[in-house]
Amino acid sequence: MSAIPEIRTLPVPDGLEGERVDAAISRMFGFSRTKAAELAAAGKVLVDGTAVGKSERVHGGAWLEVEMPLPPAPVQVVAEPVEGMEIIHDDDDVVVIVKPVGVAAHPSPGWTGPTVIGGLAAAGYRISTSGAAERQGIVHRLDVGTSGLMVVAKSEYAYSSLKQQFRERTVDKRYHTLVQGHPDPTSGTIDAPIGRHPQHDYKWAVVAEGKPSITHYDLLEAFRAASLLDVKLETGRTHQIRVHMAAHRHPCVGDLTYGADPTLAARLGLTRQWLHAVRLGFEHPGEARWVEFESTYPEDLQRALDRVRAESS
């Protein structure tokens, strides 16, 4: 039996007078501009009873009728081994893993590849925490194209404790990234809000209405064409390091989504951004003591770094 779509009808607030249809819908319902434009293109947006396109203008007091998108189908956790996923610590409360590139933290609509949650399930780990079944134990994430350390909560108490630590920004998250060029100053802080990219829904950008985002960086090693940085995240926005470094005009090497040089990436044999979560420190939920874990660079990043060093010698 198919679901019946929900129709929402309400007047356009006076404050949105003259706004484009897609912008107005985005602000009124919390959709992305892309999703709002898709609804209008599908004839699912009416103003005073007439279907309108995304670029038409709305007027205060007009009646807006929107056919709401149906919720996505439930996502299932598939227990499947994840090649290259290394478990470096395991106890009653947490499991710490090194996530390989090409692996998502958890299942999501449209993603058919391997996941950390699926890999742990296949390895016999029992994760029992609140929240959606497909996100059991996930307290933070790494991009599919970013490798490195992740902690997964195994108990409800550990889940609550770690979520609180991430909210209070007491977790020490350290990354190493190879960026193009030479940042000036060589150590600094990028404090710039991040939100959805205004034109591309799959990307993020520094935008005035974005969420507060703070990235600290220090130079580790300078090369002819690039710089190796140690990065500490104070906040944890999606693509934060990638967006901030690109906005700083020093994109992560290999990060073609955010403007990296494809010629340099090809020369170094990179098919993803040079970014790895090297260290993770937090207060252990069950033992009330500070713990830290470290991870070495994976083979593809180490090989690219060796080539940059060789070119600079």
Side-chain angles (χ1 to χ4, degrees):
M1 181 176 174
S2 59
I4 299 174
E6 177 191 2
I7 306 295
R8 298 279 296 277
T9 304
L10 67 169
V12 175
D14 291 339
L16 295 184
E17 173 73 34
E19 286 274 9
R20 285 169 50 115
V21 164
D22 54 357
I25 293 174
S26 175
R27 291 178 62 180
M28 292 172 72
F29 296 100
F31 299 147
S32 67
R33 285 282 287 270
T34 301
K35 172 57 71 175
E38 288 173 357
L39 291 174
K44 296 181 178 181
V45 180
L46 307 181
V47 174
D48 289 335
T50 302
V52 293
K54 66 179 181 180
S55 59
E56 295 185 42
R57 303 286 172 172
V58 299
H59 302 286
W63 278 95
L64 184 67
E65 189 175 318
V66 179
E67 182 179 318
M68 304 295 283
L70 294 172
V75 178
Q76 301 297 319
V77 175
V78 177
E80 89 179 304
V82 173
E83 183 179 355
M85 189 172 83
E86 181 185 359
I87 294 166
I88 63 171
H89 177 82
D90 175 37
D91 58 40
D92 291 341
D93 297 295
V94 299
V95 55
V96 180
I97 62 110
V98 178
K99 185 187 84 66
V101 65
V103 179
H106 56 74
S108 60
W111 176 252
T112 57
T115 66
V116 170
I117 290 299
L120 289 174
Y125 283 84
R126 189 170 184 278
I127 310 294
S128 181
T129 64
S130 60
E134 72 273 12
R135 299 191 183 194
Q136 288 285 296
I138 295 295
V139 292
H140 69 128
R141 295 176 293 179
L142 293 178
D143 297 345
V144 170
T146 300
S147 52
L149 290 163
M150 280 184 62
V151 58
V152 179
K154 293 172 67 176
S155 66
E156 186 62 40
Y157 175 75
Y159 181 77
S160 299
S161 171
L162 287 170
K163 289 292 280 186
Q164 184 69 17
Q165 290 183 57
F166 276 98
R167 270 194 301 268
E168 295 177 350
R169 304 180 184 179
T170 58
V171 177
D172 187 17
K173 298 175 287 182
R174 297 295 179 114
Y175 298 75
H176 284 181
T177 183
L178 189 68
V179 301
Q180 293 180 194
H182 307 101
D184 183 16
T186 55
S187 296
T189 295
I190 303 173
D191 184 351
I194 291 176
R196 285 283 185 187
H197 194 286
Q199 278 85 44
H200 306 291
D201 203 34
Y202 63 93
K203 292 171 63 173
W204 300 78
V206 170
V207 290
E209 65 274 17
K211 293 182 178 179
S213 308
I214 301 173
T215 302
H216 308 282
Y217 70 90
D218 292 289
L219 177 69
L220 292 175
E221 197 170 352
F223 307 103
R224 185 177 301 160
S227 301
L228 182 64
L229 305 180
D230 177 88
V231 177
K232 179 180 180 179
L233 289 185
E234 191 168 319
T235 53
R237 309 303 175 203
T238 302
H239 297 183
Q240 179 171 323
I241 295 173
R242 301 166 63 191
V243 170
H244 270 174
M245 296 319 300
H248 206 45
R249 299 195 174 134
H250 297 285
C252 301
V253 172
D255 193 359
L256 305 190
T257 299
Y258 288 103
D261 178 5
T263 304
L264 177 60
R267 193 167 81 237
L268 299 179
L270 278 175
T271 57
R272 52 113 162 192
Q273 63 266 16
W274 204 112
L275 179 61
H276 185 69
V278 295
R279 192 159 74 250
L280 185 63
F282 53 89
E283 184 174 294
H284 191 286
E287 300 173 13
R289 65 183 178 90
W290 185 259
V291 292
E292 280 191 1
F293 303 93
E294 295 189 353
S295 169
T296 56
Y297 304 149
E299 184 180 344
D300 63 331
L301 300 190
Q302 185 63 59
R303 185 171 57 247
L305 183 62
D306 290 343
R307 287 179 181 173
V308 166
R309 280 201 183 106
E311 290 180 2
S312 300
S313 60

